[in-house]
Amino acid sequence: MTLISADGTILRMPRSEPTALTLLRRTHEAQVVELLRRLGALSRAELGRRTGLSRTALSSITGSLIGRGVVVTAPAAPARGTRGRGRPVDLLRLNPAIGRCAGVDLGRGRVRAVVSNAAHEIIGSESRPYPRRTSWEERTAIALELLDTVLGGGSDGLEGIGIGLYGPVGPATERASAAVRLFGERYGVPVLVDNNTRLAALAEAVHGAGAGTRHSVYVRLSHGVGGGLVVDGRLLRGASGAAGEIGHVPADPRGPRCHCGGRGCLELYASLPAVEAAGGLGDDAAVERAGRLTGQVLAGLCNTLDPELIVVGGELAGCGERLLAPLEAELRARALPAVRQGLRITAERLGDSGGALGAIALVRQESPAPRLARQPYPAAAGTGCTGPVVSG
Amino acid sequence: MTLISADGTILRMPRSEPTALTLLRRTHEAQVVELLRRLGALSRAELGRRTGLSRTALSSITGSLIGRGVVVTAPAAPARGTRGRGRPVDLLRLNPAIGRCAGVDLGRGRVRAVVSNAAHEIIGSESRPYPRRTSWEERTAIALELLDTVLGGGSDGLEGIGIGLYGPVGPATERASAAVRLFGERYGVPVLVDNNTRLAALAEAVHGAGAGTRHSVYVRLSHGVGGGLVVDGRLLRGASGAAGEIGHVPADPRGPRCHCGGRGCLELYASLPAVEAAGGLGDDAAVERAGRLTGQVLAGLCNTLDPELIVVGGELAGCGERLLAPLEAELRARALPAVRQGLRITAERLGDSGGALGAIALVRQESPAPRLARQPYPAAAGTGCTGPVVSG
């Protein structure tokens, strides 16, 4: 007998104590569910590669998960250029009716709320602008109202909420703790908070321009210059939560003093205000200089981090090749051969939704997994497991 | 009945199928063993913090491990300045009679071999110089001979071998595959290979100047300038295995052309040959300039990575404060307030042994754990488990 509770937990009545063999199998099942939970849709081949399970073992596990309605199949969109070759591959994903996640990006000028389901489909997305002088209390009130709207009247099946904030976000950031309290009390689910530019980096790495990569650098050229690093698939936060401040790497060590205390920081040359002061986004020379100096700073960073992908975002990325061509030329001229060989440089894909989508990716990566994934077998100290359990 | 096999595996005859509760307990036991395996000696308080187990649960688990001879206790050395305050704290560690690991550093001018036991005590260390023109075949022959000596005539209880090589080491490096084959065939245990400067970074982070830190940057100022990054306790290798090339971050973007293709790379100013050309290690101004430019490059890196510790190694680190004071001053003047606040800068502690010790740390972190840790319960498809099993 299988019961699926309101929050997607699979509840089963054990018939007898499990054997070591069935426990091993359940661990494998949990691995499969966890991979689909984190990564969305995967082919059987990709699942096999990532779990290390044999075709036979994997087929038996996915068959059982499909039979129980936890996993569903859908044909993959044919890759460009492969149309007609071979038969289409089925992708496996978690049943979209379970495991919703919400992402809220509390930016300087607007809030955006996005909700996705366990199949990583976006089932709601809204944004609302506010003036820059809006107080923290007013911003969060607007955010809560917007999230209520996007959730469509209830937090049933909500697995967690991710929140992106502008400015530095570390373990000691007061706004972060306030957000965790506020959203946690309102919705009764785990809440995770991070800097919204770092979250955009994560979103691009998981769902956007970097889908499938393990090591990427995201740089946002906007009112300020910021960024985020994804190392081995996870966001790098640093010791105090300040990691990713690419805008404060010197582009010219003997350049003018920056507000941060440093000298000749990249932000002084490649931010929107800097480009506007040098001629504006329409001025080729101004955009070219921003691209070139960004490429120069990224070269040093790449020699240290050796990423496979650079994603360029923010308003300046809208200049396309006028920015990216000089950026890439300078980067390739200065990076070590081993580093530049496998390196790809591209514009961001997710735009203004990146922060909120990254907040969701953060929850899927780091929040306590739903019972579905972590407890394929009722815990020893659990309840009787005969009816729905409310999450939170 | 408990049998401990030659390789430290605990073999037990199951009396009956385990219950979910005993399996949970065994998972916790494996966690404790794995932590001690990776980190050496830990206090009960530290074990509690890292496992999240209650005092009662932890005490029951450690009591059982001590009773079975897997874990032993030893009083901790009193911390400096705390003598006489309170009673000494016992540290727990794995029984030194099990789980040996070997580290071999095949450097440009010498090979070093180190062997440590499961308690992370060094039980053998030897080094042998060779001329720089020595061929790869001769170097590895010397290394094998040296390792035989240090192992004391046999690979009994050997868990794995870590090998450090100079130069870039990535997934496609031929010397790395050759070393894995050669040492793997000779000793019949897992072999892991990495760049020896990166391994020194790991060694400092685990056992040296950075013991207890999660995020550190190691920079080595020697014949070349190299380094390694430890992120969240693990070595960062990058997409092609080239991560850590701090020597090729520009100190002066308009400076002279470097052999790597870049311009004004740090290596042109802060390597041993550069300092010798500018006046030598005895020349304060030459050393000061090397320190200042290293600090400048590290500032940009710190704003991106936000580490808690910088470890400076190599021959130049021997100049002490003449190098470190200008380095730190420049770094603090240029790093963001949030980044510099918690940042510590120090000289390396492990010197010439760093590469070999890091190779051991790599094995303890990343090799398939010994059966002791990963299979607290005989696997379903295992043998009858009534006698010793030979590892490998």
Side-chain angles (χ1 to χ4, degrees):
Chain A
M1 176 178 65
T2 303
L3 295 169
I4 299 191
S5 79
D7 68 339
T9 308
I10 303 179
L11 307 170
R12 314 177 88 215
M13 288 298 291
R15 265 183 242 141
S16 59
E17 289 294 342
T19 64
L21 198 62
T22 57
L23 274 147
L24 192 66
R25 183 187 158 90
R26 280 170 193 166
T27 305
H28 292 155
E29 187 174 278
Q31 265 183 342
V32 168
V33 170
E34 180 63 21
L35 278 170
L36 295 176
R37 177 178 170 263
R38 276 202 293 117
L39 302 172
L42 290 176
S43 67
R44 285 180 172 85
E46 181 69 14
L47 269 173
R49 202 181 60 71
R50 288 182 182 261
T51 57
L53 291 173
S54 72
R55 260 172 83 156
T56 320
L58 188 62
S59 153
S60 152
I61 283 165
T62 55
S64 158
L65 286 168
I66 292 168
R68 280 145 54 207
V70 177
V71 165
V72 295
T73 61
R80 267 176 295 181
T82 63
R83 198 165 301 181
R85 287 192 219 157
R87 48 178 197 152
V89 172
D90 263 2
L91 294 184
L92 304 183
R93 57 179 64 199
L94 294 182
N95 186 338
I98 59 177
R100 293 195 295 169
C101 263
V104 178
D105 180 359
L106 273 155
R108 286 183 202 273
R110 63 102 187 84
V111 60
R112 176 175 286 279
V114 176
V115 174
S116 76
N117 63 21
H120 290 213
E121 293 160 345
I122 293 169
I123 53 178
S125 177
E126 296 273 352
S127 142
R128 195 172 298 172
Y130 39 58
R132 293 210 158 212
R133 52 171 167 61
T134 310
S135 72
W136 167 255
E137 285 70 23
E138 288 173 283
R139 281 167 196 244
T140 50
I142 296 171
L144 288 170
E145 207 185 296
L146 194 69
L147 183 54
D148 273 347
T149 311
V150 182
L151 282 170
S155 59
D156 281 359
L158 188 64
E159 190 183 296
I161 302 172
I163 297 184
L165 302 178
Y166 63 88
V169 175
T173 308
E174 213 174 284
R175 286 175 311 142
S177 325
V180 167
R181 271 197 310 277
L182 192 65
F183 285 80
E185 279 166 18
R186 169 80 153 252
Y187 298 100
V189 296
V191 176
L192 297 172
V193 183
D194 209 319
N195 167 272
N196 57 2
T197 304
R198 274 208 297 262
L199 289 176
L202 182 63
E204 291 290 343
V206 174
H207 300 296
T213 62
R214 303 290 298 159
H215 301 278
S216 61
V217 171
Y218 173 77
V219 57
R220 170 179 275 167
L221 309 174
S222 179
H223 299 280
V225 171
L229 315 176
V230 175
V231 168
D232 214 17
R234 301 185 85 88
L235 214 46
L236 194 158
R237 294 202 177 76
S240 68
E245 292 289 0
I246 299 173
H248 298 285
V249 177
D252 178 0
R254 284 168 298 206
R257 186 64 71 184
C258 174
H259 67 86
C260 78
R263 269 190 184 285
C265 292
L266 179 61
E267 185 164 290
L268 299 174
Y269 308 96
S271 64
L272 199 50
V275 173
E276 274 163 0
L281 289 181
D283 183 293
D284 283 352
V287 171
E288 190 269 348
R289 185 183 73 151
R292 193 163 33 80
L293 291 173
T294 304
Q296 178 197 300
V297 161
L298 286 172
L301 197 55
C302 287
N303 285 348
T304 320
L305 294 171
D306 185 19
E308 55 202 299
L309 179 73
I310 304 278
V311 181
V312 184
E315 286 84 342
L316 261 72
C319 297
E321 284 306 303
R322 291 194 296 133
L323 179 92
L324 293 180
L327 186 157
E328 179 155 1
E330 192 75 14
L331 176 49
R332 295 206 182 272
R334 289 176 181 268
L336 291 168
V339 168
R340 67 175 181 250
Q341 204 165 19
L343 189 64
R344 215 157 42 88
I345 295 132
T346 181
E348 69 180 345
R349 289 230 187 111
L350 305 172
D352 185 59
S353 297
L357 290 172
I360 291 177
L362 183 74
V363 172
R364 297 210 187 274
Q365 243 184 24
E366 307 203 357
S367 86
R371 293 193 186 86
L372 173 64
R374 288 276 171 83
Q375 299 190 5
Y377 195 79
T383 65
C385 292
T386 51
V389 173
V390 177
S391 152
Chain B
M1 176 177 66
T2 302
L3 295 169
I4 299 191
S5 79
D7 68 338
T9 308
I10 303 178
L11 306 170
R12 314 177 87 214
M13 289 298 291
R15 266 180 242 142
S16 59
E17 289 295 342
T19 65
L21 198 61
T22 56
L23 274 149
L24 192 67
R25 182 186 160 91
R26 280 171 193 165
T27 304
H28 291 156
E29 190 174 276
Q31 265 185 342
V32 168
V33 170
E34 181 62 20
L35 277 169
L36 295 176
R37 177 176 169 265
R38 277 202 294 117
L39 301 172
L42 290 175
S43 67
R44 286 180 171 85
E46 183 68 13
L47 269 174
R49 200 181 63 72
R50 288 181 181 262
T51 57
L53 292 171
S54 72
R55 259 174 83 155
T56 318
L58 186 63
S59 152
S60 152
I61 283 164
T62 56
S64 158
L65 286 168
I66 291 168
R68 280 145 54 205
V70 178
V71 164
V72 295
T73 62
R80 266 176 296 181
T82 61
R83 197 167 301 183
R85 287 194 218 152
R87 48 179 196 150
V89 172
D90 263 0
L91 294 184
L92 304 183
R93 57 179 65 199
L94 293 183
N95 186 338
I98 59 175
R100 293 194 295 168
C101 264
V104 177
D105 180 0
L106 274 154
R108 285 183 201 273
R110 62 101 187 85
V111 59
R112 176 174 286 280
V114 176
V115 175
S116 77
N117 62 21
H120 290 212
E121 293 160 345
I122 293 169
I123 53 179
S125 177
E126 296 275 352
S127 142
R128 195 171 299 170
Y130 38 59
R132 294 211 158 209
R133 53 174 165 60
T134 310
S135 72
W136 166 255
E137 285 70 25
E138 289 175 283
R139 282 167 195 242
T140 49
I142 297 172
L144 287 170
E145 207 185 296
L146 195 69
L147 183 53
D148 273 348
T149 312
V150 182
L151 281 170
S155 59
D156 281 359
L158 188 63
E159 190 182 299
I161 301 172
I163 297 184
L165 303 178
Y166 64 88
V169 176
T173 307
E174 213 175 285
R175 287 175 307 143
S177 324
V180 167
R181 271 197 310 277
L182 191 66
F183 286 80
E185 278 166 19
R186 169 80 153 252
Y187 297 101
V189 297
V191 176
L192 297 173
V193 183
D194 209 321
N195 166 273
N196 57 2
T197 305
R198 275 208 295 263
L199 290 176
L202 181 63
E204 291 290 342
V206 173
H207 300 297
T213 63
R214 303 290 296 161
H215 302 277
S216 61
V217 171
Y218 173 77
V219 58
R220 170 180 276 167
L221 308 175
S222 181
H223 298 280
V225 171
L229 314 176
V230 175
V231 167
D232 213 15
R234 301 186 88 86
L235 213 46
L236 194 159
R237 291 198 180 79
S240 67
E245 290 290 357
I246 300 173
H248 298 285
V249 176
D252 179 357
R254 283 168 297 206
R257 186 64 70 184
C258 174
H259 67 86
C260 78
R263 272 191 181 284
C265 292
L266 178 62
E267 186 164 290
L268 299 174
Y269 307 96
S271 65
L272 200 51
V275 172
E276 274 163 2
L281 289 181
D283 184 291
D284 284 353
V287 172
E288 191 269 346
R289 186 184 73 150
R292 193 161 35 79
L293 290 173
T294 304
Q296 178 197 300
V297 161
L298 287 172
L301 197 56
C302 288
N303 286 349
T304 320
L305 293 171
D306 186 18
E308 55 202 300
L309 179 73
I310 302 278
V311 180
V312 185
E315 287 85 342
L316 261 73
C319 297
E321 284 306 302
R322 290 193 298 131
L323 179 92
L324 293 179
L327 186 157
E328 179 154 2
E330 192 75 14
L331 175 49
R332 293 204 182 276
R334 289 177 181 267
L336 292 169
V339 168
R340 67 176 181 251
Q341 205 166 16
L343 188 64
R344 213 155 47 84
I345 295 130
T346 180
E348 68 180 347
R349 289 228 188 111
L350 305 172
D352 185 60
S353 297
L357 290 172
I360 292 177
L362 184 73
V363 172
R364 297 210 186 275
Q365 242 183 24
E366 306 202 356
S367 86
R371 294 192 185 87
L372 172 66
R374 288 277 169 82
Q375 299 189 4
Y377 196 79
T383 67
C385 292
T386 51
V389 173
V390 177
S391 153

